Amino acid sequence: MSRQEALDTARTRSTGHQANAPDQQTYPLTSLQEDLLPLMREYATAARAYNIESVYVIRGPLDVRSFSEAVDAVIERHHALRTVFIETPDGARQKVLPPVRGALVVRDLSDIAPEAKAVALDNAVTADCTRLFSFTEEPPIRLSLYRTGSEEHVFVVVVHHLVFDGWSMGVLLRDLSNAYSLLRGRPVSPVVVACQLTDFASRQRDWLASPEASRMTDYWVRSLRYCPEGTTVPYDRVAPEALSFAGDRYTFDLPGSLARHVMDLARREKVTPTAVALLGFQLLLRELSGQEDIVVGLPLANRIWPGTQNCIGFLINTHALRQYLPLNAPLRDLLHTTAGRLAGAVQNQAIPLRNIYTALRSRYGEESLPTFLYQVMFICHSHPHAALQLGETTVKRQRFDQRASKTDMTLNLWVRDESITGQLEYNTDLYASRTAHRVVQRYKEILADLAEELVW
């Protein structure tokens, strides 16, 4: 296969339809984009907090030309990665820009002295990850490659949440790996992209008028009617009047024995590890808030329609998961109730929260609604995440923290085989670091108590 044939394959041959959208054509926004875009335009801190960043250290013989061409091919392949948002007489719309060449910005830092190099690299990565996107003029993706040694590079990916989610990162890394392999003469199995983000937005608009969407709305309205204010952890400080997204993250691992106990408990009770972990978080919130009616934000992938598994886009729906946890209720009953609530949320995940909120207001009145349906979130990352594979190189993800938080607190968990890693994201205008540490330690203790209590 020639180099040009490899490029053509990476861009279009494995795509279910024409890769290039017609020039000047615009498309509707998804429901979530309609909610998020005004916030991004009003608050610079919010726009920055919704940057999704990943940093990778690449060691070994990297063909920079092939990698750059692979980047261009993948951006051409996915409409979301070359989308801007424009105002029209019909409101905000998505517009897909023509493909570009040279999207990967390459900089050589290898000749800088070691101490100065570390500072220069840190400053460059921070600038990449925190710089605001101009949503009307440039695609919401930024890709940089820094050469730091003869066979060492740092690759920085920054994409805005308006067109991207956690699942999309796995698709992006897989497609980059495949495109690079093709350009290096190593055939890979084609992956079909049968749905673009623009396709999803159009289909969602039609589907929301369907009986199925109405049924899902009824499910959530029944659960959330007369809902209390979204549960949160008591603040250390007075909440500021201005909306703030300042934050920090506390990363932790569950001890190996505790992770195994969580997995064993899930198997014995025929529930998912996510259900066990979620109940632990609900019990923690009950203890800290003094409330029994607990509401937690729960983002779900929303990739149930055919073709969406290989789509890059902002498809997730975040739902307000509500559960009553009486103090005297048996833990086993609460676990199975949590598992049932979680299953119900998954089965009804396609309806956007804004539609549920509108239905609640219509049926029960504005006065029945809380100011916030949820203030903390729980995210269990259990779907497989493709690794970046670039020939004979070794690629390792490097932690980067842009110090932002989208909610009061968000508990992230990554469940992998017999290990569980966590990260507590928290708003630093509301909480001190010692509170984050205390919350994590207590969460571990509650999970341990839960596993011990339900041995039999």
Side-chain angles (χ1 to χ4, degrees):
M1 180 183 290
S2 71
R3 191 174 194 86
Q4 188 58 49
E5 287 174 327
L7 275 170
D8 291 342
T9 299
R11 289 168 179 148
T12 61
R13 190 175 299 174
S14 60
T15 304
H17 54 275
Q18 184 177 349
N20 298 338
D23 289 352
Q24 307 304 318
Q25 186 169 346
T26 64
Y27 303 85
L29 306 186
T30 67
S31 291
L32 213 49
Q33 285 175 331
E34 288 180 343
D35 289 339
L36 197 58
L37 185 58
L39 181 66
M40 301 299 98
R41 287 173 169 171
E42 184 174 357
Y43 298 100
T45 52
R48 185 176 293 110
Y50 279 81
N51 282 354
I52 300 175
E53 74 286 331
S54 283
V55 180
Y56 302 91
V57 177
I58 304 170
R59 293 186 172 91
L62 178 69
D63 183 335
V64 175
R65 179 190 172 193
S66 293
F67 189 48
S68 180
E69 291 179 346
V71 165
D72 289 342
V74 172
I75 290 177
E76 181 172 343
R77 193 165 191 250
H78 294 280
H79 291 180
L81 301 182
R82 46 193 177 91
T83 291
V84 293
F85 298 86
I86 62 174
E87 287 297 329
T88 74
D90 298 322
R93 303 272 292 181
Q94 301 185 71
K95 179 181 176 181
V96 181
L97 299 180
V100 298
R101 298 291 174 263
L104 180 68
V105 176
V106 182
R107 290 181 58 191
D108 192 344
L109 305 179
S110 60
D111 291 337
I112 303 177
E115 299 81 6
K117 183 193 304 181
V119 174
L121 179 62
D122 184 65
N123 290 341
V125 172
T126 300
D128 279 340
C129 294
T130 58
R131 181 157 53 89
L132 298 177
F133 288 102
S134 172
F135 301 119
T136 60
E137 298 175 357
E138 63 174 339
I141 181 169
R142 188 179 301 128
L143 299 159
S144 302
L145 184 70
Y146 298 95
R147 183 171 183 260
T148 54
S150 58
E151 288 197 342
E152 181 175 283
H153 295 80
V154 174
F155 177 48
V156 182
V157 181
V158 187
V159 196
H160 199 272
H161 220 333
L162 277 169
V163 298
F164 207 76
D165 54 23
W167 186 296
S168 297
M169 186 63 78
V171 177
L172 175 64
L173 297 181
R174 181 204 64 201
D175 284 1
L176 277 175
S177 302
N178 288 352
Y180 184 80
S181 294
L182 282 168
L183 288 161
R184 299 291 291 160
R186 297 178 176 86
V188 295
S189 300
V191 177
V192 174
V193 180
C195 176
Q196 299 280 2
L197 180 59
T198 47
D199 301 327
F200 176 85
S202 297
R203 179 174 179 179
Q204 183 186 57
R205 186 169 294 262
D206 294 336
W207 178 82
L208 287 172
S210 70
E212 183 182 20
S214 178
R215 178 189 60 77
M216 288 188 186
T217 301
D218 287 341
Y219 170 86
W220 288 107
V221 167
R222 288 194 302 272
S223 172
L224 296 173
R225 62 180 178 179
Y226 302 113
C227 186
E229 196 75 23
T231 313
T232 193
V233 175
Y235 300 158
D236 295 330
R237 308 178 177 110
V238 176
E241 291 184 9
L243 187 63
S244 172
F245 292 84
D248 206 346
R249 300 173 187 179
Y250 183 91
T251 301
F252 62 94
D253 293 313
L254 292 190
S257 58
L258 177 54
R260 288 190 293 273
H261 288 328
V262 169
M263 304 292 191
D264 290 343
L265 174 58
R267 283 190 284 266
R268 286 197 310 271
E269 296 296 326
K270 295 182 172 57
V271 300
T272 63
T274 301
V276 178
L278 174 57
L279 175 59
F281 191 48
Q282 291 170 321
L283 293 171
L284 172 68
L285 291 172
R286 183 182 71 176
E287 177 181 298
L288 296 178
S289 69
Q291 301 166 352
E292 295 180 322
D293 197 348
I294 303 297
V295 186
V296 175
L298 182 73
L300 295 167
N302 192 31
R303 291 176 182 261
I304 58 177
W305 291 343
T308 55
Q309 290 76 18
N310 295 320
C311 174
I312 284 182
F314 185 28
L315 273 60
I316 63 170
N317 278 331
T318 299
H319 286 290
L321 189 71
R322 181 186 186 186
Q323 184 174 334
Y324 187 61
L325 289 88
L327 286 171
N328 59 353
L331 287 177
R332 181 168 279 106
D333 291 351
L334 290 179
L335 176 59
H336 286 278
T337 299
T338 294
R341 297 275 187 185
L342 193 56
V346 170
Q347 292 164 7
N348 294 278
Q349 65 180 291
I351 196 75
L353 187 60
R354 66 180 310 197
N355 292 66
I356 300 164
Y357 192 89
T358 299
L360 284 167
R361 183 173 54 197
S362 173
R363 297 183 195 184
Y364 302 109
E366 187 79 37
E367 65 281 358
S368 70
L369 293 171
T371 305
F372 300 104
L373 280 174
Y374 63 86
Q375 298 186 84
V376 300
M377 289 201 299
F378 172 87
I379 309 176
C380 191
H381 305 267
S382 55
H383 60 274
H385 200 305
L388 181 60
Q389 299 178 338
L390 302 172
E392 294 76 30
T393 67
T394 59
V395 182
K396 183 177 181 181
R397 185 174 181 183
Q398 180 175 296
R399 181 186 172 191
F400 176 82
D401 186 358
Q402 64 160 302
R403 303 182 68 83
S405 180
K406 303 176 190 67
T407 61
D408 291 0
M409 281 189 178
T410 297
L411 177 63
N412 288 276
L413 295 176
W414 287 267
V415 178
R416 299 288 184 268
D417 298 326
E418 297 297 310
S419 68
I420 300 177
T421 299
Q423 186 180 80
L424 185 70
E425 179 183 291
Y426 61 98
N427 188 303
T428 51
D429 283 341
L430 304 176
Y431 302 106
S433 58
R434 64 179 180 275
T435 298
H437 178 80
R438 177 172 59 88
V439 165
V440 169
Q441 293 307 116
R442 185 59 187 136
Y443 179 64
K444 292 179 182 178
E445 293 168 0
I446 288 174
L447 282 180
D449 291 345
L450 187 60
E452 183 177 348
E453 181 75 18
L454 298 182
V455 168
W456 306 107

